[in-house]
Amino acid sequence: MPDLPMLMISASAGFPSPAQDDMEEPINLADWLIEHPAATYIMRVEGYSMVGAGITDGDLIVVSRAKKPVPGHIVVALVHGDRTLKRLRRREGRFWLVPEAEGYSEIIVDEHVEIWGVVVGLARKYA
């Protein structure tokens, strides 16, 4: 991926701020998003169970297998051989995979569940 120019200022998501022409060093998005290339993969999201976390159908997620999953992380897991994207939670001494949208079930982490990795980045194309 080529290096892209990066503005030295941030873009306000509230009220407009004065424009500036200052530039920072170019940024390579792959280098910025991927800390451990050999242990990282990118997946396309299918479905809407994580819309409450800002992740929706068609998004690309960056998943690290190098990062240890802890409660609160969004993870990719294998459940009976099928991949799913959920938030890892701990309740009453048990781990759960919890969706962030209505109409989806929580999944207890048992011997049929394998955590594949932790979501560390998200990419979305608007146009």
Side-chain angles (χ1 to χ4, degrees), residues 75 77-79 84 86-89 95-99 105-109 113 115:
V75 298
L78 274 181
V79 179
T84 190
K86 302 287 184 277
R87 190 169 304 270
L88 184 64
R89 296 283 186 203
F95 288 100
W96 293 82
L97 300 175
V98 179
S105 300
E106 295 183 356
I107 302 165
I108 193 162
V109 177
V113 175
I115 306 296

Side-chain angles (χ1 to χ4, degrees), residues 19-111:
Q20 295 180 358
D21 292 329
D22 298 333
M23 300 286 279
E24 265 190 54
E25 294 290 320
I27 184 170
N28 182 302
L29 290 177
D31 291 343
W32 185 66
L33 287 170
I34 299 172
E35 189 174 337
H36 303 283
T40 303
Y41 53 96
I42 296 174
M43 298 178 71
R44 185 169 306 278
V45 175
E46 294 179 0
Y48 298 95
S49 72
M50 293 303 290
V51 295
I55 303 172
T56 192
D57 188 70
D59 286 349
L60 297 176
I61 53 173
V62 181
V63 182
S64 173
R65 290 182 58 92
K67 191 169 183 89
K68 180 183 176 189
V70 297
H73 282 161
I74 297 172
V75 298
V76 173
L78 274 181
V79 179
H80 296 282
D82 294 325
R83 284 184 304 275
T84 190
L85 178 68
K86 302 287 184 277
R87 190 169 304 270
L88 184 64
R89 296 283 186 203
R90 185 178 178 106
R91 286 194 304 254
E92 299 174 4
R94 301 291 310 255
F95 288 100
W96 293 82
L97 300 175
V98 179
E100 294 202 9
E102 291 186 27
Y104 297 90
S105 300
E106 295 183 356
I107 302 165
I108 193 162
V109 177
D110 61 15
E111 67 275 2

